[in-house]
Amino acid sequence: DRLAASVIVGIDAVYYMQPRQQIEVPQLKREMVKAFVGFSISSAQDIGHDMDTVSTGNWGCGIFRGDPVLKAMLQWITVTVSQRKIAYYTYGDRRVCGGKLNQLVQAIAKKKVTVAQLWKVLSDPELPAMYRDGEKIEQVLRSKLKLSS
């Protein structure tokens, strides 16, 4: 039974008084480190079975004011580094539901963007200025990675 084989991990969320704070490199690294720790449960000997998929979603994106595209990209990077698959749930968040996030993910996959390339865009020193000018993370990714719309 898949549910009985599940492991529940709690990961904290940071409240951003100023949402642009979340795109500062120390904050990005913090998000990825805590996700990596949570997603990297070692092995069958520790939990009694193999775990190949992480089910996750928009943590920190409601009242905490996080950007769901940014959080999804950080979790995708982290799951990849953890050598797991991801099942990402948007929970009806209008910013990413209805296939919006999936279209971005498919465009990134089609272009064969690596984790390093994705991280390079997210940690680009120009990103905070672009974000302050109202450009969405998705727009930045599409532009910098030269993805089709």
Side-chain angles (χ1 to χ4, degrees), residues 20-31:
R20 71 173 176 260
Q21 292 172 311
Q22 68 188 306
I23 59 171
E24 296 169 0
V25 172
Q27 290 297 317
L28 298 174
K29 288 181 178 178
R30 180 190 186 281
E31 294 293 283

Side-chain angles (χ1 to χ4, degrees), residues 70-90:
L70 176 63
K71 300 295 185 177
M73 295 299 107
L74 294 174
Q75 290 180 72
W76 191 15
I77 288 170
T78 306
V79 165
T80 302
V81 172
S82 301
Q83 299 181 330
R84 308 250 194 267
K85 297 177 211 159
I86 190 168
Y88 197 91
Y89 299 93
T90 61

Side-chain angles (χ1 to χ4, degrees), residues 2-126:
R2 190 133 174 99
L3 184 57
S6 297
V7 174
I8 297 173
V9 177
I11 298 177
D12 76 320
V14 174
Y15 176 76
Y16 294 105
M17 292 286 274
Q18 308 252 334
R20 71 173 176 260
Q21 292 172 311
Q22 68 188 306
I23 59 171
E24 296 169 0
V25 172
Q27 290 297 317
L28 298 174
K29 288 181 178 178
R30 180 190 186 281
E31 294 293 283
M32 290 196 329
V33 166
K34 71 182 180 183
F36 182 78
V37 170
F39 297 166
S40 296
I41 294 172
S42 7
S43 65
Q45 70 185 28
D46 294 329
I47 59 175
H49 59 83
D50 288 324
M51 186 182 82
D52 66 346
T53 303
V54 172
S55 296
T56 188
N58 300 336
W59 41 262
C61 296
I63 194 168
F64 292 96
R65 305 178 75 192
D67 182 296
V69 173
L70 176 63
K71 300 295 185 177
M73 295 299 107
L74 294 174
Q75 290 180 72
W76 191 15
I77 288 170
T78 306
V79 165
T80 302
V81 172
S82 301
Q83 299 181 330
R84 308 250 194 267
K85 297 177 211 159
I86 190 168
Y88 197 91
Y89 299 93
T90 61
Y91 300 105
D93 185 320
R94 63 179 170 67
R95 298 169 292 176
V96 288
C97 71
K100 292 177 190 175
L101 181 61
N102 190 47
Q103 289 170 2
L104 177 61
V105 167
Q106 293 303 319
I108 290 171
K110 182 177 179 183
K111 189 86 174 189
K112 298 188 184 325
V113 174
T114 65
V115 165
Q117 292 167 321
L118 185 55
W119 173 247
K120 185 176 180 184
V121 172
L122 294 175
S123 62
D124 186 327
E126 295 177 8

